[in-house]
Amino acid sequence: LGETMSSFAQVVTAQPTSSAFNRHTGAWKSGVFDCQQDMSIFLCGAWVPCLLGFQVAKDYGESLWSGCFIDCIVAMRTGIRERYKIEGSVCNDCLMTYFCFPCVLCQMARELQSRN
């Protein structure tokens, strides 16, 4: 028991600082309005956004139905940022998704496609 407690104490004393959790190292590989970078994604997002939402949800690892609800899209956008350490905020994710929904959906699809 004494050996276990001493090894546990060593782990606890080496806690990371809070700044280690907040380091963002990148940006989106394409901008929100760079829809012309992939015309198939753009056309799908412009004409059948729910279908593109299904694909984004599938590529992200969520239920396909998550791609149909705007609040789920906001959560997935935030999750993509966190997963790939992309700069931004939840507030920005929310505003961009609500006001530029098809463009944001296309950006997320391009990001997941380029990283998978």
Side-chain angles (χ1 to χ4, degrees), residues 5-27:
M5 291 302 286
S6 65
S7 64
F8 178 72
Q10 291 173 355
V11 174
V12 173
T13 59
Q15 292 182 4
T17 63
S18 62
S19 64
F21 295 113
N22 295 327
R23 269 188 225 139
H24 291 287
T25 58

Side-chain angles (χ1 to χ4, degrees), residues 32-84:
V32 173
F33 302 111
D34 291 338
C35 296
Q36 75 281 3
Q37 285 188 350
D38 189 319
M39 289 307 288
S40 61
I41 289 176
F42 169 70
L43 291 173
C44 188
W47 296 104
V48 197
C50 202
L51 185 61
L52 185 59
F54 287 154
Q55 186 62 46
V56 167
K58 179 183 169 207
D59 290 348
Y60 184 65
E62 286 292 322
S63 162
L64 295 182
W65 293 108
S66 299
C68 287
F69 302 104
I70 197 160
D71 292 338
C72 293
I73 298 294
V74 172
M76 282 191 287
R77 180 177 168 84
T78 302
I80 289 169
R81 270 193 324 92
E82 291 297 318
R83 181 183 290 176
Y84 299 119

